[in-house]
Amino acid sequence: MPGKLTINFIVVEDSNALAQRAAQHFTELAEQAVAARGRARIAISGGSTPKATFQLLGDSAQPWRARMPWERIELFWVDERCVPPDHPDSNYRMTREALLDHAPLQPQQIHRMEGELAPEEAAARYESALRNSFRLEGAETPVFDIIQLGMGPDGHTASLFPHTAALRELGRLCVANHVQNKDAWRVTLTAPVINHGREVFFLIGGADKAAVLHEVFLGPRDLERLPSQLIRPAGGILTLVLDKAAAALLPATDAGGCSSIERIE
Ligand code: 6PG
């Protein structure tokens, strides 16, 4: 989306604080969505970073589980590896172990990408599931209430990897994407779907992400090399929930750990 993008940084001390702050962010956004629209349709990412947050959300000893409006939540994925749901690399498996086995979500509230299927079939079935769940007509795009993203050291997000075909997909909602340097197939939401999200936030931690964060958000546009730069939500606001190690090369924050920048493209 061309125009002005406001990027809000929320920076916390370390990985434990990051998981707590992210759990708080998920909970607050879900409460706001339910208050405004009666439900919260949430798309989550996989990888390693969100696991600790998901564990907190499902932990009855933490405040978040009791606050989350679980009965009003529909859970989707931003992407999935093309592996069975019990495979060690499966985003679904990570989420099931960290959250789904502990939170009161019913099966019909959980919309899994079927990584066990042939990639194109899995993508087509997920696109159909989105059209059905959001009751889309024609070229309509689903509007998720919350989309949580991660970012790889190579600047990818979702399974939008550098120099891959999915970066240029503007028509479909969900596609299969071959990632050459992993010699692996993924299923991913496309950038237009992510950019229609009402509340889109990156959850990123660790010193290994500091350099790419600087390149993506403070460096020149290079969408093929830095696909995370594709993420420009239609609402004009993007939030980053970071630990200090990841934020080391970003603008200094105020006493509350917050800062923001604007990018005009
Ligand atoms: C995936 C994710 C992916 C992830 C980044 C960051 O399937 O791996 O959806 O986009 O968010 O690779 O992963 P880490 O959190 O493990 O650094």
Side-chain angles (χ1 to χ4, degrees), residues 119-155:
E120 294 292 352
E121 184 184 2
R125 283 173 59 87
Y126 208 70
E127 174 136 350
S128 297
L130 289 173
R131 293 194 174 285
N132 180 49
S133 187
F134 285 80
R135 292 181 172 65
L136 301 179
E137 294 183 8
E140 288 181 330
T141 302
V143 179
F144 285 95
D145 294 289
I146 303 166
I147 299 179
Q148 174 263 324
L149 299 171
M151 189 186 300
D154 61 355

Side-chain angles (χ1 to χ4, degrees), residues 95-175:
T95 311
R96 181 181 55 71
E97 291 174 345
L99 176 60
L100 305 183
D101 285 348
H102 313 283
L105 286 169
Q106 300 305 310
Q108 64 269 24
Q109 294 176 267
I110 299 168
H111 305 274
R112 180 178 72 85
M113 289 178 169
E114 296 164 293
E116 68 275 23
L117 301 179
E120 294 292 352
E121 184 184 2
R125 283 173 59 87
Y126 208 70
E127 174 136 350
S128 297
L130 289 173
R131 293 194 174 285
N132 180 49
S133 187
F134 285 80
R135 292 181 172 65
L136 301 179
E137 294 183 8
E140 288 181 330
T141 302
V143 179
F144 285 95
D145 294 289
I146 303 166
I147 299 179
Q148 174 263 324
L149 299 171
M151 189 186 300
D154 61 355
H156 85 264
T157 188
S159 283
L160 302 171
F161 284 83
H163 311 297
T164 58
L167 303 189
R168 296 175 289 279
E169 178 62 49
L170 300 178
R172 285 182 289 173
L173 308 179
C174 181
V175 294

Side-chain angles (χ1 to χ4, degrees), residues 4-88:
K4 185 177 81 172
L5 176 67
T6 299
I7 305 169
N8 295 321
F9 303 107
I10 301 171
V11 182
V12 296
E13 187 65 31
D14 55 26
S15 58
N16 291 334
L18 183 65
Q20 282 287 354
R21 187 64 183 82
Q24 175 188 336
H25 198 63
F26 263 120
T27 305
E28 290 172 349
L29 293 182
E31 289 172 333
Q32 290 161 20
V34 169
R37 290 175 293 279
R39 63 181 165 193
R41 292 189 283 204
I42 305 172
I44 56 175
S45 288
S48 60
T49 305
K51 183 174 181 178
T53 297
F54 296 165
Q55 288 170 331
L56 290 178
L57 288 172
D59 184 348
S60 54
Q62 295 288 327
W64 318 115
R65 190 179 187 282
R67 274 184 58 184
M68 280 289 272
W70 297 107
E71 71 287 351
R72 301 288 185 166
I73 285 173
E74 297 275 335
L75 190 66
F76 300 79
W77 273 261
V78 165
D79 67 334
E80 183 58 279
R81 292 82 179 279
C82 290
V83 296
D86 57 355
H87 190 282

Side-chain angles (χ1 to χ4, degrees), residues 171-232:
R172 285 182 289 173
L173 308 179
C174 181
V175 294
N177 195 30
H178 185 253
V179 186
Q180 187 95 28
N181 64 8
K182 292 179 179 283
D183 191 21
W185 281 93
R186 298 282 189 97
V187 175
T188 184
L189 298 184
T190 55
V193 172
I194 296 171
N195 284 329
H196 273 75
R198 284 192 177 90
E199 295 287 348
V200 181
F201 74 98
F202 280 94
L203 170 56
I204 304 171
D208 65 324
K209 305 291 175 70
V212 71
L213 273 166
H214 183 272
E215 279 202 275
V216 166
F217 294 108
L218 299 178
R221 267 164 86 80
D222 188 349
L223 302 180
E224 281 285 324
R225 188 173 67 84
L226 299 168
S228 291
Q229 290 182 337
L230 286 166
I231 309 308
R232 302 178 60 83

